[in-house]
Amino acid sequence: MLQIAIIGLSTFGKRMIDELYAVGAELILIDRNAVVIDQYKAKAKACYVVDVANVKDSLEKLIPQTIDAAILDFDDKLEPSILMTHFLHQMGIKNIIVETQSDTHAELLELAGATRIVYPELEAAKNITPQLLSKKLSNYIQLSNDFAIAEIEISKELEGKTLKDSNFRSEFNLNVVACRISGEEELKALSDPNFVFTKDCNVVVAGTNEAINKYVNKHSPNSSYSEKSYLTRFFKK
């Protein structure tokens, strides 16, 4: 079973509790606010009301060294983030995920031993911005600096064509992984090469930012020059 320690229950930490609990992870929660701990204790294997500034000596008793990951959320407060990151790194915890909003803080946290820095507001903005700029994009998730998953509308020229005849891979270097019929919430995995696209069908594709940008620009003839220019700049990031 996945075992995660969440230390500092600000907005990001609370959201991670809900998401990890939903998938059956075993949670250890640490925060100095007893009221917040009490709100989430039903979702945790263990809870501790502790001020992290004074936790170093007892940290090994609270968090097993074999834990899969530790997630830190101190609402972008630098001192407790660095202290706890450093303590966990000294313990040998291999996966230390820290929330921050500052590039300067991120550099210091990496020096202290953080293995991943999370920018929740920035990541949300990057996912939403392409959707606002192009009607072809319904959902967009940036997975790395140059790779993303996007939900896009089917262009008119693809209506009535099968997946194997759509040329998504050969023309746009995009892999179609799922589809969604208009009005339906659920996505359906798409592997049948004889699946026929209809006008009310959206597809989820995976590919580089450049490949997605190429499709969006070609099939958004009504987009303004400024929108296309921004999309090109955005997708190249």
Side-chain angles (χ1 to χ4, degrees):
M1 177 183 292
L2 187 68
Q3 189 178 50
I4 308 290
I6 300 179
I7 307 166
L9 306 187
S10 293
T11 303
F12 177 65
K14 292 175 182 176
R15 178 58 61 88
M16 291 305 303
I17 291 172
D18 292 335
E19 295 297 321
L20 288 167
Y21 177 77
V23 297
E26 187 177 89
L27 301 177
I28 298 172
L29 308 182
I30 299 175
D31 195 276
R32 66 179 181 177
N33 189 327
V35 175
V36 175
I37 286 289
D38 190 60
Q39 290 175 348
Y40 289 92
K41 65 182 181 181
K43 295 184 176 182
K45 177 188 177 183
C47 296
Y48 304 101
V49 180
V50 177
D51 185 344
V52 296
N54 303 311
V55 76
K56 180 179 180 181
D57 293 339
S58 58
L59 194 60
E60 292 184 4
K61 298 178 181 178
L62 305 182
I63 301 176
Q65 289 183 309
T66 56
I67 200 162
D68 294 291
I71 299 172
L72 279 59
D73 177 19
F74 294 105
D75 201 23
D76 209 27
K77 294 181 177 66
L78 183 58
E79 184 176 353
S81 296
I82 289 179
L83 280 173
M84 182 55 70
T85 299
H86 178 62
F87 295 161
L88 292 168
H89 181 64
Q90 285 187 320
M91 283 177 56
I93 304 301
K94 298 187 181 301
N95 194 4
I96 305 171
I97 303 165
V98 189
E99 183 274 341
T100 189
Q101 302 295 340
S102 165
D103 289 338
T104 302
H105 288 188
E107 291 178 6
L108 295 172
L109 289 165
E110 287 177 346
L111 288 173
T115 55
R116 181 177 178 183
I117 306 297
V118 178
Y119 301 84
E121 293 179 5
L122 176 61
E123 291 181 11
K126 284 188 173 183
N127 291 339
I128 291 171
T129 300
Q131 299 173 46
L132 295 175
L133 292 173
S134 175
K135 295 180 180 179
K136 287 291 178 184
L137 288 168
S138 301
N139 288 298
Y140 181 87
I141 301 174
Q142 188 76 40
L143 297 180
S144 69
N145 288 336
D146 194 39
F147 194 86
I149 293 177
E151 182 178 346
I152 57 180
E153 294 179 8
I154 285 295
S155 61
K156 288 186 177 181
E157 66 186 55
L158 293 180
E159 292 176 14
K161 287 189 176 181
T162 62
L163 175 60
K164 66 181 179 182
D165 293 328
S166 65
N167 298 323
F168 265 104
R169 183 173 295 175
S170 60
E171 183 176 355
F172 297 104
N173 200 27
L174 294 172
N175 290 307
V176 180
V177 296
C179 69
R180 188 201 311 269
I181 304 301
S182 178
E184 297 183 2
E185 293 186 3
E186 296 298 323
L187 289 167
K188 297 179 180 179
L190 190 56
S191 58
D192 182 1
N194 295 312
F195 177 85
V196 178
F197 294 120
T198 59
K199 64 179 180 179
D200 59 350
C201 178
N202 284 7
V203 291
V204 177
V205 297
T208 63
N209 298 336
E210 182 180 358
I212 296 172
N213 182 46
K214 179 181 177 182
Y215 180 90
V216 169
N217 283 341
K218 179 174 181 179
H219 295 294
S220 297
N222 296 324
S223 294
S224 68
Y225 174 79
S226 61
E227 284 178 352
K228 289 186 177 182
S229 298
Y230 185 88
L231 280 169
T232 300
R233 177 174 67 83
F234 182 91
F235 282 128
K236 284 185 177 179
K237 289 186 176 180

